[in-house]
Amino acid sequence: MAKVTLHNIMKVYPAVDRGEKPAGKKNRSEDFVAVRDFNLEVSDNEFIVFVGPSGCGKSTTLRMIAGLEEITEGEFYIDDELVNDVAPKDRNIAMVFQNYALYPHMTVYNNMAFSLKLRKEKKEVIDQKVRSSAELLDITELLHRKPKTLSGGQRQRVAIGRAIVRDPKVFLMDEPLSNLDTKLRNQMRAEIIKLRERIQTTFIYVTHDQIEAMTLGDRIVVMNNGQIQQIGTPQEVFDDPSNLFVAGFIGTPQMNFFNDEKLLLNEGKYYITLFDQNIELPQRKQEILKARNQEETDVVVGIRPPHITISDNGTLAELDIIEMMGSELHLHLNVDGKDIIVVTPTTATDLSTLHKHQQVKFSFHPELIHIFDKEIKTNLFSL
Amino acid sequence: MRSARMKKKGRRRGYLNPSFAFAMPGTLVYSLLLMLPILFAFASSFTNWNGLTINLENLRFIGIDNYSRMMEDTALKTAVGVTLFITVVVVLAVNILGLGLAVILKNSGRMTNIIRTVFFLPYILSSIAVSFIWMAIISYTGIINSFLISIGLDDFIINFSATKWSSIFWICVVEIWRSIGFYMTIYLAALQGVPQELYEACVMDGSGKWSRFIHITLPMIVPQITVAFLLSVINELRIYDVIFVLTGGGPGTSTQSITYNILTQSFVNWRSGYASAMAVALCVVITIIAAVSMKISKKLEVDV
Ligand SMILES: Nc1ncnc2c1ncn2[C@@H]1O[C@H](COP(=O)(O)OP(=O)(O)O)[C@@H](O)[C@H]1O
Ligand SMILES: [Mg+2]
């Protein structure tokens, strides 16, 4: 249980560490900035998820929090205490690694007891803690086994068990589910949600999987290229993506983007061009733009696939591909050579009326469109 | 399945199984040069053969006489003592120092490869050559003494071969110097094979450097420790060349090793039968040591 504050954190990997060609040779690359301008306040008991594409600096940030990487610049506080230079073991942080990193030569019991033994806890205390954690994770019957005899899911539980036995202030997890198959991953995700209710700790969880991020996080930190793109609740990040990157990264299938549109201002009212029409923006959005004195500009318009509906009137399109996903249908529409994806619930559609290459009409609610500045890629509706 | 099919095909066409054909030259050379001499030595260890005559008149089968004679052989007793002493010292030194050097080297960044090569170099040289290099340094007329004399420190000149123990000391030094790079390389490879994540997990669990070494490194490299230990024991039990050059077994016969003793018996005293018996006995001892340490290692070993 702790508050965690990261202030202007930056991580630079020197060129030599990156196995780059040694000095003197041409083509020697510069130092590499893996993370920059990282500002975040995590409150007590919060579940924070770092999400972003591979290589964006999530692990690096997590490892700086753990103390496994040095913080190049910036301040890192746990409960208002500056801990930049505090050794990992004195930070009281536990971490679950992607490959579990269980000690292969120790039984499950000893894996879990190890940190307590290092702390010189009493034998009975260790035993009691290990057993109650094992019970919590339903691995009591595995306690005498060695890691190599366990399945992926069981190893994952043991790794979590090893971390929770010592009541860490902060609990870090780096892509803990990415080595599991889909079914097990969904199951473990649910378990983590349950676990979270039972142990009172601050969680920081790293994943590249936006579904994990959305389902687990109280708040999500979306990262790209070593920088935070947006911090917000899953709802906020989904409904109000702060820029094009977040809009494209969160949500499957991806948001439909229309790149060559314009924001127009006519007699005090804002319009956007889309499918050869001028569409008047709804009242709430008008006010946001007005308050900011937004000028006419080139924009990218985004509409999420579920926010488009097939209807009797609207824009004409050709139906290219029909993907039956079970409970929903993914329809690929072609409008003047541009591919648009529409998601509709299977129950709301009569499949027998849909055929490839058929002409259909679609519409969308202006309330649900997003507009991004084409130049600087920010959401024009963000306050 | 495949080999069964091949056999059938071969028989039908009247050819030899090709794998036989390929294995033949190697098998021949191996048996001619290795297996036959071993069998021959084993056989001759039950005879009084002198190693010279082909005249079979005097050749007698004398049962286990050669073996029982070993029990009363005082020269052999000395040799066993010397060999065991050198073995214990050198094995401990090359394994402990080798591992220590490997640990240091693992964290020395870009210098690692250079240092590793430098340390490995002596191992490539023949031990005879190494011994002569050291002779040039430490012998009575060697570099060290010349230097000491030239600066007037005549009182400190060394005469390493004057006593049994200083001879053994220098034999150990040369032997360690010669082979430590090899063991260091084994250990370095072993250390590099330990997953970094285990160390990080251990750091997170609150360990210090020393406890990581004890709880992660050592258990994870048990297989390589076994190999290095075995190789060094076998090597030192057979020590010969360095002694031959450095002390010639002297003063007297006080630094003769087992192998040295065997060779003396065989080619100086011309008692080949007896020498063969000692060689067979040494071979048996080494085999037992190997078997036992493999057993122990299997117990300690971690399978990931
Ligand atoms: N030890 C290191 N030395 C040099 N560069 C590194 C090191 N670790 C990571 N990087 C680089 O930093 C960037 C971010 O890495 P990482 O934090 O692991 O990304 P993520 O976990 O988001 O996939 C990557 O481009 C990676 O190549
Ligand atoms: Mg990562």
Side-chain angles (χ1 to χ4, degrees), chain A residues 13 17-18 32 34 53-60 69:
Chain A
Y13 288 115
D17 285 7
R18 286 166 55 76
F32 178 80
S54 171
C56 71
K58 309 178 294 285
S59 298
T60 303
E69 292 287 350

Side-chain angles (χ1 to χ4, degrees), chain A residues 16 22 63 66 68 88-89 93 95 97-99 101-105 114-115 118-119 148 162 166, chain B residues 110 197-208 211 214-216 219-220 300-304:
Chain A
V16 258
R63 291 164 56 80
L68 294 172
K89 69 183 168 103
I93 289 178
M95 179 156 170
F97 293 81
Q98 180 171 350
N99 303 324
L102 298 176
Y103 308 127
H105 52 291
F114 187 63
S115 64
L118 285 179
R119 256 150 242 252
K148 71 151 183 173
R162 183 173 65 177
R166 57 188 173 91
Chain B
R110 248 187 305 165
E197 270 200 339
L198 288 185
Y199 289 113
E200 292 184 343
C202 204
V203 168
M204 295 308 293
D205 273 346
S207 68
S211 88
I214 296 293
H215 294 294
I216 306 291
M220 292 302 286
L300 298 174
E301 212 165 288
V302 190
D303 8 33
V304 186

Side-chain angles (χ1 to χ4, degrees), chain B residues 120-150:
Chain B
F120 196 73
L121 223 50
Y123 196 72
I124 312 174
L125 302 176
S126 89
S127 40
I128 297 280
V130 168
S131 311
F132 276 113
I133 294 173
W134 273 89
M135 276 302 270
I137 299 171
I138 59 172
S139 71
Y140 200 73
T141 53
I143 295 173
I144 294 183
N145 284 350
S146 309
F147 176 73
L148 289 175
I149 290 168
S150 73

